[in-house]
């Protein structure tokens, strides 16, 4: 196939890559998006979920493609993400048009302002290369693009109102808020979920399947972002698995090489390259692109590429509340306690958000009863009892950047002959002390809810939240960071990253909105600094 | 379509053990009658579903005992039976054997698994397989697992007065803010219309 070319080559069609592509295309530049995985429709995903024998496995509607695999762990680990330990990091992400936000809880939090200065304020982690105030207009842009609903009492100041009011509070969350009042302030989550018709999409109808798929697009996701990029004029090529970036003698990126599903190799040239292939696949691609000039991989003169892997580990408490709450009515993840997201304790232990689930308990309770051998009328009685009264609260803990937590290349290869990603991960004492504080909160919450049958997650066990960040960390010092505050690689003038991987710290909120806001700030910079040149040399697709 | 049983018309089931004991006595008598006649008069069979064979009848009877329901959907029963038989050609014999075992020993459902495990019974795996099929709609395990029922799986039916299966709309925007209305708080006329009427109420996404 003849080479294709564009002003901008965007690698990855997830929410960040697609929104960046949309903005660039709207400026009049030619944009080509290369997506490793296939196109899949919302209807197909809903059908896959309803017909899945593993409904609680939210990856079951998203099987990996042989030519562009992603990690899955059920019914067995497909071995794609190699674990180097010492603590497992079973990350989940989706390689298909639209990326991983096809299934998410749609939490669209902003950081709190002090998250940008934890080194200066608390002598832990690092500071961001810019302040909350500098990012604030781009948070607003992100919220308007995604359609975010929220209340102003979440600790993140704003210059303009949310695009929408908070989504109606489920009865269960109301009872929790009322019973905890005076001890804990329970607030509605800031979410990319419609509380009214917005941007041609309907308000939430309480389908309670936000993860793995909102069947009515009341929730924003990368598939919507990808469609908007195409509507703006970007060309999107699915099933194009980029395996190498090519540079010239000056270190500028000149081409992206990709495999089609039959392993036919193709070459695409462009003026500026934006890697938006998530916090694991992006550093993998940079490491796969090692050359004689850059033997440690591209954008890696600092040796920081892939390092500082962070996420949000969770501990949890499940118990039976006194009230009949009947979780499962309304959206899955409506309410949180934010009071521990920042404070003078941060030199000592990790901050955290406390997150209440509203996911139906029915399937899990059914499996538990069957496992326990509960048959006959007692089955129905106990199922209803659990479905009505069981509730769960979890911590969402900050992990600090550390170079030993990292993504590298495994010696194992995938079906395309490409080296698999390998992760090195650990939970440190800072996070463990945060979880101990969270456990004390759990007990108090259970007491206030009249809780019985308390089941704490096992000490030392941390669930993963798939908020991959840090692996292409931005900073002002090229010796300690991969890219600058605009996501531009320190080592390559025309290479940018749009990803949660650029976030220097993880904070306590789901990483997507931070990643989108930072990516939009990068686009703003690119359009000012790069696009005028690109427009003069516009390439037709 | 499922016809509501007398159990479905109850409010929240009692929390004491008396209910189960009373039921068990009744069920013992029932099972004795079933096995004596090899018929399943209490099972509602809706036309045009073919009459069950004795093997399928035994499956229905055992299922009824295990899931605590006198009425089970015949079409779903046929699909589950066929799938279970596909996984295990001896499924019919095992089902009949376990049913005979229960009847001979007059075992209460709540005691069944403990007893089978304690005696290393060859039937020990069977109840979980059958209850998983009915209550989760899933037959098989691992790579062989498949979903035969979702919104008509019994665990969805059991809570259908309060909850919708995931992906099905709960209702209009904000309807979830109101307190849940269970069968004990709803008008009697709205009870027992599931799953048929339930499906009609659902707003598809």
């Amino acid at each position: 196939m003849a080479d294709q070319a564009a002003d901008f080559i965007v690698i990855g069609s997830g929410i960040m890559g697609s929104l960046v592509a949309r903005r660039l295309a709207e400026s009049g530049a030619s944009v080509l998006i290369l997506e490793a995985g296939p196109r899949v429709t919302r209807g197909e995903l809903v059908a896959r979920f309803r017909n899945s024998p593993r409904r609680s496995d939210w990856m079951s509607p998203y099987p990996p493609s042989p030519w562009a695999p992603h990690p899955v762990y059920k019914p067995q680990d497909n071995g794609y993400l190699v674990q180097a330990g010492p603590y497992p990091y079973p990350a989940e992400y989706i390689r298909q048009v639209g990326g991983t936000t096809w299934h998410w809880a749609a939490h669209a939090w902003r950081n709190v302002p002090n998250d940008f200065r934890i080194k200066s304020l608390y002598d832990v982690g690092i500071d961001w290369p810019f302040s909350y105030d500098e990012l604030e207009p781009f948070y607003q842009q992100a919220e308007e693009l995604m359609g975010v609903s929220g209340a102003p009492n979440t600790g993140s100041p704003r210059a303009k109102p949310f695009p929408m009011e908070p989504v109606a509070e489920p009865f269960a969350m109301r009872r929790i808020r009322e019973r905890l009042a005076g001890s804990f302030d329970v607030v509605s989550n800031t979410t990319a979920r419609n509380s009214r018709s917005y941007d041609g999409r309907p308000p939430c109808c309480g389908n309670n399947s936000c993860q793995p798929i909102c069947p009515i697009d009341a929730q924003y996701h990368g598939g919507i972002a990808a469609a908007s990029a195409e509507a703006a004029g970007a060309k999107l090529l699915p099933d194009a698995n980029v395996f190498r970036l090519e540079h010239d003698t000056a270190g500028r990126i000149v081409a992206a090489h990709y495999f089609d599903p039959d392993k036919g190799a193709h070459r695409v040239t462009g003026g500026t390259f934006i890697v938006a292939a998530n916090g694991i696949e992006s550093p993998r691609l940079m490491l796969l692109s090692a050359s004689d000039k850059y033997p440690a991989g591209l954008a890696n003169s600092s040796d920081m590429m892939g390092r500082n892997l962070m996420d949000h580990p969770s501990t949890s408490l499940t118990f039976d509340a006194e009230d009949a709450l009947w979780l499962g009515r309304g959206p899955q993840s409506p309410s949180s306690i934010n009071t521990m997201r920042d404070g003078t304790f941060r030199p000592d232990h990790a901050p955290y958000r406390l997150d209440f689930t509203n996911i139906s308990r029915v399937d899990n309770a059914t499996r538990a009863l069957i496992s326990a051998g509960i048959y006959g009328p007692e089955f129905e009685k106990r199922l209803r009892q659990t479905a009505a009264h069981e509730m769960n609260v979890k911590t969402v803990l900050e992990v600090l950047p550390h170079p030993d937590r990292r993504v590298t290349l495994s010696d194992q290869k995938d079906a395309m002959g490409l080296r698999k990603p390998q992760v090195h991960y650990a939970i440190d004492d800072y996070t463990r002390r945060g979880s101990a504080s969270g456990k004390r909160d759990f007990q108090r919450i259970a007491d206030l809810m009249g809780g019985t049958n308390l089941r704490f997650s096992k000490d030392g066990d941390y669930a993963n939240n798939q908020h991959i960040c840090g692996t292409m960390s931005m900073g002002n010092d090229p010796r300690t960071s991969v890219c600058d505050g605009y996501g531009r690689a320190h080592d390559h003038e025309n290479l940018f990253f749009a990803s949660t991987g650029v976030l220097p710290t993880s904070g306590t909120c789901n990483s997507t909105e931070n990643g989108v806001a930072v990516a939009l700030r990068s686009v703003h910079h690119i359009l000012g600094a790069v696009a005028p040149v690109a427009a003069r040399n516009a390439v037709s697709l | 379509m499922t016809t509501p049983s007398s159990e479905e018309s109850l409010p929240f089931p009692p929390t004491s053990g008396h209910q189960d004991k009373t039921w068990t006595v009744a069920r013992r008598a029932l099972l004795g009658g079933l096995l004596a006649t090899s018929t399943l008069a209490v099972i509602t069979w809706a036309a045009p579903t073919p009459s069950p064979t004795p093997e399928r009848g035994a499956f229905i009877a055992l299922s009824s005992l295990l899931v605590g329901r006198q009425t089970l959907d015949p079409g779903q029963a046929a699909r589950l039976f066929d799938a279970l038989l596909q996984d295990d050609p001896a499924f019919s014999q095992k089902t009949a054997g376990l049913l005979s075992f229960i009847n001979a020993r007059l075992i209460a459902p709540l005691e069944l698994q403990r007893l089978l495990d304690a005696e290393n019974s060859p039937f020990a795996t069977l109840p979980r397989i059958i209850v998983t099929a009915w209550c989760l709609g899933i037959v098989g395990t691992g790579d062989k697992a498949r979903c035969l029922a979702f919104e008509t799986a019994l665990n969805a039916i059991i809570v259908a007065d309060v909850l919708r299966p995931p992906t099905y709309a709960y209702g209009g925007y904000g309807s979830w803010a109101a307190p849940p209305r269970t069968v004990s708080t709803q008008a009697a006329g709205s009870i027992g219309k599931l799953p048929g009427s339930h499906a009609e109420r659902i707003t598809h996404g």
Side-chain angles (χ1 to χ4, degrees), chain A residues 298-428:
Chain A
L298 299 184
N300 198 24
S301 64
S302 61
D303 190 34
M304 286 294 114
M305 179 59 71
R307 294 189 184 272
N308 302 306
L309 171 65
M310 294 171 282
D311 206 297
H312 293 123
S314 281
T315 54
S316 67
L317 169 64
T318 303
F319 64 95
D320 299 335
E322 187 175 28
D323 300 65
L325 300 171
W326 288 100
L327 300 189
R329 301 167 68 245
Q332 284 183 337
S333 187
S335 298
S336 292
I337 295 169
N338 274 1
T339 47
M340 293 299 285
R341 289 184 61 191
D342 186 41
T344 55
F345 59 84
R346 281 180 89 165
D348 303 318
H349 69 75
Y352 52 91
R353 187 169 55 78
L354 291 165
D355 183 286
F356 294 100
T357 186
N358 187 37
I359 296 172
S360 165
R361 317 307 289 174
V362 172
D363 266 359
N364 281 345
T366 302
R367 280 190 291 272
L369 290 170
I370 294 171
S371 176
I374 306 300
Y375 310 134
E378 193 70 10
F379 176 89
E380 179 163 339
K381 184 177 88 176
R382 294 198 195 183
L383 178 59
R384 288 184 66 91
Q385 178 75 14
T386 300
H389 291 270
E390 188 174 274
M391 63 172 284
N392 170 278
V393 57
K394 72 175 183 180
T395 54
V396 180
L397 291 151
E398 180 167 45
V399 169
L400 295 174
H402 192 288
D404 289 345
R405 283 189 276 263
R406 62 188 299 203
V407 176
T408 59
L409 294 179
S410 169
D411 291 334
Q412 299 178 34
K413 294 183 177 178
D414 67 15
M416 303 301 277
L418 303 172
R419 293 174 71 183
K420 296 177 180 177
Q422 175 170 284
V423 286
H424 307 248
Y425 200 61
I427 305 292
D428 62 22

Side-chain angles (χ1 to χ4, degrees), chain A residues 71 87 219 348 427 440:
Chain A
Y87 199 86
Q219 177 173 286
D348 303 318
I427 305 292
R440 291 189 287 275

Side-chain angles (χ1 to χ4, degrees), chain A residues 42 46 49-55 75-76 165-172 174 194-196 203-209 213 215-216 324-331 360-363 366-367 370-385 387-388, chain B residues 7-8 12-16 20 23 65-69 109-110 112-113 127-128 131-132 135-138 142-143 145-147 149-150 153 155-156 158-183 203-205:
Chain A
R42 174 161 47 100
V46 173
F49 171 77
R50 289 177 174 174
N51 288 296
S52 171
R54 302 186 311 281
R55 290 191 289 271
Q76 58 270 327
E165 293 183 348
V167 171
E169 183 183 43
F171 171 81
R174 186 184 108 196
N194 289 356
S195 58
R196 59 176 171 82
C204 178
C205 288
N207 305 65
N208 204 246
S209 62
I213 179 68
I216 61 171
L325 300 171
W326 288 100
L327 300 189
R329 301 167 68 245
S360 165
R361 317 307 289 174
V362 172
D363 266 359
T366 302
R367 280 190 291 272
I370 294 171
S371 176
I374 306 300
Y375 310 134
E378 193 70 10
F379 176 89
E380 179 163 339
K381 184 177 88 176
R382 294 198 195 183
L383 178 59
R384 288 184 66 91
Q385 178 75 14
Chain B
E7 290 160 11
E8 282 179 303
F12 274 109
T15 53
S16 75
D20 188 52
W23 182 91
L65 181 71
L66 291 173
V67 302
R69 298 205 146 207
L110 210 48
L112 177 63
Q113 192 63 55
R128 288 194 177 97
V131 178
T132 297
C135 294
L136 285 166
I138 294 164
D143 290 335
R146 59 261 192 220
C147 176
F150 174 44
N155 71 343
I158 285 169
V159 299
D161 55 331
V162 194
L163 301 175
R164 301 287 171 265
T167 68
Y168 287 88
Y170 182 78
Y173 172 75
S175 53
W176 48 84
R181 297 178 69 226
T182 64
V183 286
T203 303
H204 289 269

